[in-house]
Amino acid sequence: MLVLGLETSCDETGVALYDSERGLLADALFSQIDLHRVYGGVVPELASRDHVKRMLPLIRQVLAEADCVPTEIDAIAYTAGPGLVGALLVGASCAQALAFAWGIPALGVHHMEGHLLAPMLEPKPPEFPFVALLVSGGHTQLVQVDGIGQYSLLGETLDDAAGEAFDKTAKMMGLNYPGGPEIAKLAEKGVAGRFTFPRPMCDRPGLDFSFSGLKTFALNTWQQCVGAGDDGEQARCDIALAFQQAVVETLTIKCKRALKQAGMQRLVIAGGVSANRALRLSLEKMLGDMKGEVFYARPEFCTDNGAMIAFAGCQRLQAGQQESLAISVQARWPMEQLSALG
Ligand code: KG4
Ligand code: ZN
């Protein structure tokens, strides 16, 4: 089954062609980061308008790359939520219009299920069941995954998502959007031990997270540095390192706890923050000590992309899932509402 995947939930237009027999045939992405950077974050209306501009040229591009004509496509998968509603509607209406014109089905995909399954595009995919850590700009969740659509929420953030905390910490130190990669880059030059940040909610049982206090701690530390006339590159690097270490260690502690609770040794990490090298190294070490294994996607499939939507859609379409031509998207959408396959 050949599936065209469209992703437009936020600030990236992603398009890909995935074939159930041949694997990923082509994928293309247009990132709107430069468009939103001057505003320090995503401007929803600008995002929607840019998706309109990019979508058809990107579809033509992946068709050409895969040497494929529309009559070969069996179905279209698009992100139906969660995300920015205007941005989602661009992908949904484009998918439904093409599906109508080409006489094939279209299926709305859950954005976080797309992230969750992205590591399955890699040469050594994880087997079910496993524990998944979903860490993106909008979500921080620990989920027990028994199969596609069989998700039990183990814990989640009570306030900011991990990626959001990276973005806000970066912004207040005058760094560019998105902040995650910026903080990670500065952290490499940071001096360890100069600042020590708290490990929120690790001293009590449970699998929930809270990252808003870390962001405030970073703000206070930065303001103290500025007040002391120490507002140069090195102070930023040292704060970036202390902040990143706190996030990474907190996530590692909770992942270990979740694996123990679920009685599992397989961990999948997904979403933008799973591209973070320090996080990958820390989890690899923890899983190595447990004789377990950690799985993640290549960095470009950790952040938003069309390939994960084409792949997730293909699994559901192959299992016979269908929907009408109605265009419906959801800005908020708990993943536990998804139906189980099989
Ligand atoms: O999954 P994603 O592309 O979009 C959402 O679904 O939210 O995640 C974007 C988030 C942003 O907050 C960004 O700062 C963060 O992922 N991010 C990173 C890294 N790369 C992206 N955070 C830490 N380290 C990175 N290398
Ligand atoms: Zn995402």
Side-chain angles (χ1 to χ4, degrees):
M1 176 182 271
L2 179 60
V3 177
L4 175 69
L6 309 180
E7 154 64 33
T8 63
S9 68
C10 189
D11 58 348
E12 252 120 19
T13 320
V15 177
L17 273 169
Y18 177 82
D19 184 85
S20 52
E21 305 300 316
R22 293 173 290 165
L24 188 64
L25 302 186
D27 96 285
L29 187 87
F30 184 85
S31 169
Q32 304 175 355
I33 284 173
D34 289 339
L35 181 70
H36 300 291
R37 188 165 276 153
V38 281
Y39 304 99
V42 179
V43 181
E45 184 55 30
L46 294 184
S48 313
R49 290 180 198 193
D50 206 60
H51 286 308
V52 172
K53 225 161 61 188
R54 309 291 168 189
M55 184 53 84
L56 293 179
L58 282 177
I59 294 175
R60 286 196 192 97
Q61 186 182 326
V62 297
L63 284 170
E65 257 174 47
D67 199 14
C68 170
V69 289
T71 46
E72 293 173 72
I73 299 174
D74 296 304
I76 305 178
Y78 63 93
T79 306
L84 302 171
V85 82
L88 290 168
L89 279 167
V90 177
S93 22
C94 186
Q96 291 289 16
L98 287 177
F100 179 69
W102 293 343
I104 55 175
L107 187 70
V109 169
H110 194 292
H111 181 76
M112 295 312 292
E113 180 171 77
H115 275 304
L116 173 65
L117 302 180
M120 295 190 171
L121 287 161
E122 300 305 326
K124 196 169 167 265
E127 282 173 24
F128 299 112
F130 53 77
V131 168
L133 172 71
L134 298 176
V135 266
S136 70
H139 291 75
T140 300
Q141 296 185 328
L142 275 163
V143 183
Q144 180 173 325
V145 180
D146 292 309
I148 295 180
Q150 297 173 45
Y151 309 129
S152 324
L153 185 67
L154 302 174
E156 65 183 334
T157 183
L158 305 178
D159 41 57
D160 290 352
E164 191 180 355
F166 269 98
D167 295 339
K168 287 178 175 170
T169 299
K171 190 174 180 179
M172 110 224 148
M173 291 200 290
L175 304 174
N176 276 333
Y177 174 85
E182 299 282 323
I183 296 258
K185 210 162 43 181
L186 290 189
E188 283 173 24
K189 292 180 273 171
V191 177
R194 175 167 170 207
F195 302 112
T196 306
F197 281 45
R199 273 53 174 158
M201 296 183 70
C202 288
D203 56 354
R204 63 184 105 152
L207 295 169
D208 286 335
F209 304 91
S210 166
F211 289 112
S212 71
L214 271 187
K215 164 198 74 193
T216 311
F217 198 92
L219 175 64
N220 292 340
T221 311
W222 173 240
Q223 280 174 343
Q224 276 164 18
C225 288
V226 173
D230 179 17
D231 58 352
E233 171 88 350
Q234 194 56 49
R236 283 191 178 85
C237 293
D238 296 343
I239 292 176
L241 177 62
F243 169 81
Q244 180 175 273
Q245 281 177 332
V247 174
V248 165
E249 201 181 310
T250 303
L251 292 173
T252 305
I253 290 169
K254 294 288 164 88
C255 283
K256 187 174 180 181
R257 228 180 251 180
L259 287 163
K260 273 198 181 148
Q261 184 179 311
M264 290 183 190
Q265 286 175 304
R266 266 196 296 271
L267 178 72
V268 166
I269 55 170
V273 183
S274 69
N276 187 280
R277 271 196 47 214
L279 177 64
R280 290 174 173 209
L281 287 174
S282 168
L283 292 172
E284 260 163 23
K285 178 162 186 326
M286 187 264 284
L287 265 299
D289 293 345
M290 282 176 74
K291 308 261 177 293
E293 226 177 326
V294 57
F295 299 83
Y296 41 75
R298 68 197 86 165
E300 62 269 33
F301 290 167
C302 289
T303 44
D304 293 348
N305 64 86
M308 67 184 196
I309 301 304
F311 178 80
C314 186
Q315 309 312 308
R316 289 189 170 273
L317 286 153
Q318 275 190 304
Q321 211 159 319
Q322 288 183 351
E323 72 180 30
S324 73
L325 282 175
I327 295 170
S328 141
V329 298
Q330 302 190 51
R332 289 174 194 279
W333 191 5
M335 205 159 58
E336 303 91 272
Q337 286 176 2
L338 294 178
S339 60
L341 287 197

